[in-house]
Amino acid sequence: MLEKFESILVKFDPVFKWMSTIILGGMTILIFIQVVFRYVFTNPLAWSEEIAKYLFIWMTFIGGYVGARQNKHIGVEALQKALPGVLGKGVKSLAYLITAAFFIIVLYNTCAYWPRLAMQTSPALEIPITFVYLSMIIGSLFMALWYILLALKVFQKKKEEVKA
């Protein structure tokens, strides 16, 4: 059951990795263009900073999921490793569940404020501000699902352990 769920999440990995690459590249190009226009032409662009800021927000949540999938987020494991067997696994699982709960709260609150956000537009480009908050929904949903899966997998016996 957990393997099936994980295989579904794995299918999204290339999409998130490409999105992260495109967003980071776009931010870099936009900031470079902004610097050139500001200091070379002494005529800064009003819209480039806004787009770069919104891309940074997207990068935070989309890249956050990529980092979670690759186990790149920092964590304090001293207590978990100090406790024997099931207690250590319990602490590890609890840490994953607390992390998942955080992202579920972010997801819930973003969805709760969605109607208010739908009425707002960005200052320079006048794009719907919901475009920015959509990244919070997508990233938080996938990170919550991933950490729930990790919490459940802590107690699942590995195939190598079963054979031994």
Side-chain angles (χ1 to χ4, degrees), residues 15-154:
V15 175
F16 279 87
K17 287 178 183 177
W18 274 106
M19 284 177 69
S20 295
T21 303
I22 291 168
I23 291 168
L24 186 60
M27 280 176 30
T28 304
I29 291 167
L30 278 171
I31 292 169
F32 176 76
I33 290 170
Q34 174 67 0
V35 168
V36 169
F37 271 81
R38 180 178 302 259
Y39 294 108
V40 175
F41 300 119
T42 62
N43 188 15
L45 303 171
W47 54 268
S48 65
E49 190 174 333
E50 187 172 287
I51 292 177
K53 178 173 55 174
Y54 295 154
L55 287 176
F56 184 76
I57 294 168
W58 271 86
M59 186 65 190
T60 301
F61 287 92
I62 301 303
Y65 175 68
V66 172
R69 287 283 293 128
Q70 296 176 355
N71 198 25
K72 299 289 184 186
H73 291 185
I74 61 168
V76 179
E77 300 174 337
L79 178 62
Q80 165 205 325
K81 290 183 177 184
L83 294 173
V86 176
L87 285 175
K89 286 182 176 185
V91 168
K92 186 175 187 175
S93 183
L94 180 63
Y96 287 143
L97 288 173
I98 290 169
T99 306
F102 170 78
F103 288 114
I104 290 168
I105 291 167
V106 171
L107 177 65
Y108 172 80
N109 285 310
T110 305
C111 290
Y113 283 105
W114 194 263
R116 292 183 200 166
L117 297 169
M119 294 182 271
Q120 295 179 1
T121 58
S122 66
L125 296 171
E126 296 184 2
I127 59 171
I129 207 72
T130 51
F131 168 76
V132 179
Y133 285 87
L134 183 60
S135 67
M136 293 176 71
I137 291 173
I138 294 168
S140 295
L141 172 66
F142 277 88
M143 283 190 273
L145 291 173
W146 177 244
Y147 282 112
I148 289 169
L149 177 69
L150 288 179
L152 296 173
K153 283 179 71 173
V154 166

